[in-house]
Amino acid sequence: MRTLLRHLFLENWPRKTIAIALAVIIWFVVNQSLTTTRIISNVSVRVINLPQGKTVEGMQSNGMLAKRVSLTLSGNKDMLDDMTSNDLEVVIDGSDASGEYSVSIQKKNLVSLNPEIEIASGINRVSAATLLIRPMRLVTEKIPVIVTSPIGEAPRGYQFLDVFPYRLYLTVSGPEKVIKQLKDRELRLTFNLNEISRAQLDSLAEAINNEKQTDEVSFLIPDAWKQISIPALSDIPFTIDDPDAKLLRIDFVRRNLLPLDMPIPLILFYPAEYLSTLNPGTLQLTASDLVENRWGTFLITKPLAVKGVSRLFLEIVREMMQIVIIAEPARDQSILPWSLQFIDSRKLENEYVSLLQADESNEEINNLQPELREEYLRNRFRSYMNRLQLFKPNDVKFDLHPVVQGNTVKVQE
């Protein structure tokens, strides 16, 4: 065995070494000479050297076109087999762009993004569909951004109240046609309440209540959320640059039961179209286990509570609330619609706004500009009016069944 190995490796070893070296050289030369043709899809296109004040339709802020191209490449097999669309891009010189023109993509238009790929030596031929370039005027505009009502659910123990500000502006530059379309349709910014935890709101509420008693919590929007995507202009979201974006907040109110401590009047409303048959002479309220007649006024005296509002709001409106039952033609035992209404709501709103504007300790509100502060407070008051709900002291929602019985309306739970 030892003799055989000596014979194989040691005898005539100079000739054998030369033979192995030649074999390696021949393999390398042959391998490098192997060519193939391959289609690379989704290749990015960049336009450079555009005249000042010009852009190209579909060009994003980074100079890339939104449209991508497919290239048919012929060249070194090893290099093309490993190549992806991320390894190269098409670069077009737009210095002579004056009007619409066609570009035939050639080898000179290819730029390697991978230092291990040598386009000059590895690619022999390039073919692709003709690319149409449409130069346009570059404009810069402020695009309206509407902050919509959030999606998702508020954390347990809290109720969504409002989002503020409702309208912002984003400054962007791009092709005149695209910018005009953006201005016409406006942009939408929507937050997700599911991304806000109860622990975050509890922490905010604790910090506020250490200074003053309140049922309201404002969650300031993080900078990372103040972004909006415009695919026609960039693959990267834009950060809203409006100075008022720093005020962005979502307001919550604790879902605490607040005792009403006040009887609620009931009245019948007679729509004008039914007055010939439904009027105070043909249909009236009557007392029941739930409704008491005091001096000709019908009242619900049963203890009730409310949810979805602040203590301050309740203090202002508690004596100016009533339940209105709508008289409608109906058969016996049918249930009439009803609603909770506020008397002289404009006066109540003014009182609410005046009290909070005079509260110098409320830095959160006082930091707003005067006109924004008033708009913010008035919208909060109106939101409370829409959200107030009646409950029983055991936290069960209070509901009424006004039933027509002959020429009377009997109100039951």
Side-chain angles (χ1 to χ4, degrees), residues 49-170:
N49 300 330
L50 281 168
Q52 187 174 5
K54 287 284 187 180
T55 186
V56 171
E57 182 178 9
M59 190 171 82
Q60 301 177 337
S61 57
N62 57 2
M64 309 296 290
L65 296 185
K67 179 181 179 181
R68 299 196 169 209
V69 298
S70 294
L71 304 177
T72 302
L73 306 178
S74 297
N76 179 267
K77 184 178 186 303
D78 279 351
M79 187 181 76
L80 291 182
D81 284 346
D82 295 333
M83 184 180 291
T84 70
S85 60
N86 296 323
D87 292 326
L88 75 165
E89 68 179 15
V90 175
V91 177
I92 296 173
D93 189 346
S95 56
D96 296 329
S98 56
E100 181 176 299
Y101 66 101
S102 298
V103 174
S104 178
I105 299 175
Q106 302 175 17
K107 181 177 176 179
K108 66 179 182 179
N109 298 116
L110 300 187
V111 172
S112 174
L113 304 178
N114 185 339
E116 297 181 0
I117 292 179
E118 290 287 343
I119 290 178
S121 60
I123 295 178
N124 302 326
R125 189 173 68 255
V126 178
S127 61
T130 301
L131 190 62
L132 189 62
I133 301 296
R134 295 187 178 92
M136 304 181 72
R137 191 163 70 95
L138 177 67
V139 297
T140 300
E141 292 281 0
K142 291 182 179 293
I143 308 299
V145 179
I146 306 302
V147 184
T148 65
S149 183
I151 61 174
E153 296 291 334
R156 186 168 56 88
Y158 293 87
Q159 181 174 333
F160 165 72
L161 182 59
D162 204 359
V163 59
F164 189 84
Y166 314 107
R167 187 183 183 92
L168 298 168
Y169 290 90
L170 171 65

Side-chain angles (χ1 to χ4, degrees), residues 294-307:
R294 290 185 185 176
W295 307 290
T297 300
F298 293 93
L299 303 170
I300 295 180
T301 57
K302 181 176 181 177
L304 294 175
V306 302
K307 267 188 180 181

